[in-house]
Amino acid sequence: MIVRAFRTLNPLSIIWLIILLFVLRVGYAYHAPANISVAFLEPFVRLLIPVSYEHLFSTGVNIFLAGVLVLIQALLLNYLVNRYNLLGKPTFLPALMYITISGLFTPFLLLSPPLICNFLVIWMLFKLFNLYKGEDAKSTAYDLGMIVAIGSLIYFPFIYLFLVIWIALIIFKPFNWREWIAGVLGYATIYFFLAVFYYLNNRIGEFSSIWLPLGTKFPNKINIDYYNYLVLIPVIIILFLCFVKLRENFFRSYVQVRKSFQLLFFIFLIAGLSFYVKAEFNLNHFLLCAIPAAIFFAYYFLYATNKWVFETLFFLLLVSIIYFQFNTF
């Protein structure tokens, strides 16, 4: 039984995580295209690095490196959850769920800006959860503003996670306008240096065009292949059961835990809805939702009581992921 093996904090679980990581990627590696281009920075930052790197890695190396990053992120996320006692018990479930969710769709299996930005999301969560007991949040808000700015240089839709800073200040702290302004100053610091670089290269007139994508209208419809999204059926069921379980235990939890889950929900929502900023719809954007989703999943699987239900659900999720990797319709 997979889930029950990860309910406790056993270091040997890392070996099983690596095996699962391989299993969830071998199907795509079997028929992946020979050449895959990857851009790690937004076009408006290419001025800083005028070197072609899109075809730096072969497909096999690309998939391998993406898997290594996912494993590191999974372990960092697991440490984060256990450090702040979000689930009430030490467990390896967050790492298991993150590795599973990061294999949902084939674009998730490759190096991409959203995958790299997930390191920044985890970094932000460490700082955001510290707001609850922190005395002075101004320096933390400033740092968070800088992190969001750096993330937007890598992947521009990351800019919307700036809203998370203000939402966290509302949830964790009494209102202080200096803390709200500190986040703006942190964000502005990074772009000030970018503006200086543009100016020194006589391209300051192009600087204002960076924010034009924010004016993009939210799409009325998205052209997708619905067969490939059947894998989301067990995901939706698990999320629903998670929110039911959270509702049952909500007022039994510590105040910090309740506030933390409220913040995670907003991160999940904001990260998911910010996809429209990119002109071309890419599924890998939704990797930004993987971290809060993994914590929600872990909560359900830790507190679910009927082992046949939760083990079957997780097994169906794994089977559907592997099946749709081998069948592209």
Side-chain angles (χ1 to χ4, degrees):
M1 295 296 183
I2 300 175
V3 173
R4 284 189 294 171
F6 284 87
R7 279 185 158 187
T8 57
L9 193 63
N10 186 348
L12 292 178
S13 298
I14 297 176
I15 298 174
W16 292 109
L17 287 176
I18 295 172
I19 294 173
L20 180 64
L21 194 70
F22 172 78
V23 170
L24 292 178
R25 279 155 175 75
V26 67
Y28 179 63
Y30 179 76
H31 59 73
N35 296 310
I36 298 174
S37 63
V38 181
F40 298 111
L41 294 170
E42 288 292 341
F44 61 83
V45 192
R46 288 303 302 272
L47 181 63
L48 301 174
I49 308 177
V51 178
S52 178
Y53 59 83
E54 286 81 359
H55 299 280
L56 186 61
F57 304 115
S58 65
T59 300
V61 173
N62 190 312
I63 296 173
F64 173 77
L65 290 177
V68 171
L69 293 185
V70 166
L71 179 62
I72 295 172
Q73 290 171 354
L75 296 177
L76 286 173
L77 177 62
N78 205 81
Y79 172 73
L80 168 77
V81 171
N82 289 326
R83 176 179 176 178
Y84 291 98
N85 198 29
L86 295 184
L87 301 182
K89 303 175 185 177
T91 175
F92 249 113
L93 282 176
L96 172 66
M97 296 306 152
Y98 182 75
I99 284 179
T100 304
I101 293 172
S102 67
L104 272 178
F105 301 108
T106 53
F108 286 12
L109 307 179
L110 299 168
L111 288 173
S112 64
L115 178 60
I116 296 171
C117 283
N118 271 352
F119 281 109
L120 300 179
V121 174
I122 295 173
W123 189 10
M124 287 182 68
L125 286 176
F126 273 104
K127 289 185 171 293
L128 289 167
F129 293 153
N130 277 332
L131 285 174
Y132 182 72
K133 293 184 178 180
E135 295 295 330
D136 183 9
K138 292 192 290 293
S139 60
T140 301
Y142 182 85
D143 292 344
L144 287 166
M146 293 184 69
I147 294 172
V148 172
I150 293 170
S152 66
L153 299 181
I154 300 170
Y155 185 63
F156 192 65
F158 197 85
I159 192 174
Y160 276 104
L161 287 186
F162 184 87
L163 297 174
V164 172
I165 303 174
W166 285 346
I167 292 172
L169 290 173
I170 293 172
I171 293 175
F172 290 125
K173 308 289 290 184
F175 178 75
N176 184 332
W177 65 269
R178 293 179 180 84
E179 295 170 353
W180 287 54
I181 296 299
V184 177
L185 292 177
Y187 184 90
T189 299
I190 299 297
Y191 275 87
F192 170 77
F193 288 109
L194 182 63
V196 170
F197 195 87
Y198 265 71
Y199 175 77
L200 293 176
N201 286 271
N202 297 317
R203 298 179 63 175
I204 192 63
E206 304 173 22
F207 186 71
S208 61
S209 63
I210 292 175
W211 290 276
L212 291 179
L214 295 177
T216 306
K217 292 183 178 180
F218 199 83
N220 294 323
K221 62 178 181 178
I222 304 171
N223 295 320
I224 58 176
D225 185 350
Y226 290 99
Y227 285 108
N228 290 331
Y229 290 79
L230 293 176
V231 70
L232 288 178
I233 293 176
V235 172
I236 294 171
I237 294 173
I238 294 170
L239 276 176
F240 173 76
L241 293 175
C242 164
F243 290 131
V244 170
K245 187 64 67 175
L246 271 171
R247 182 176 176 274
E248 290 176 357
N249 300 333
F250 189 73
F251 291 105
R252 302 175 192 170
S253 305
Y254 293 111
V255 174
Q256 183 177 7
V257 173
R258 297 204 299 264
K259 291 177 178 288
S260 297
F261 272 99
Q262 290 171 9
L263 180 63
L264 288 169
F265 174 76
F266 282 111
I267 293 174
F268 180 82
L269 202 62
I270 292 170
L273 294 177
S274 61
F275 73 91
Y276 79 97
V277 175
K278 281 288 187 181
E280 182 181 353
F281 175 70
N282 289 310
L283 266 178
N284 59 23
H285 168 87
F286 296 101
L287 268 171
L288 293 176
C289 301
I291 289 173
I295 299 175
F296 291 142
F297 275 37
Y299 187 91
Y300 165 69
F301 283 109
L302 185 62
Y303 288 101
T305 53
N306 191 324
K307 66 179 181 179
W308 297 112
V309 173
F310 67 74
E311 290 286 2
T312 302
L313 270 175
F314 187 74
F315 179 75
L316 288 175
L317 179 59
L318 290 181
V319 169
S320 59
I321 291 172
I322 296 170
Y323 175 78
F324 284 103
Q325 284 181 13
F326 280 99
N327 294 273
T328 56
F329 301 100

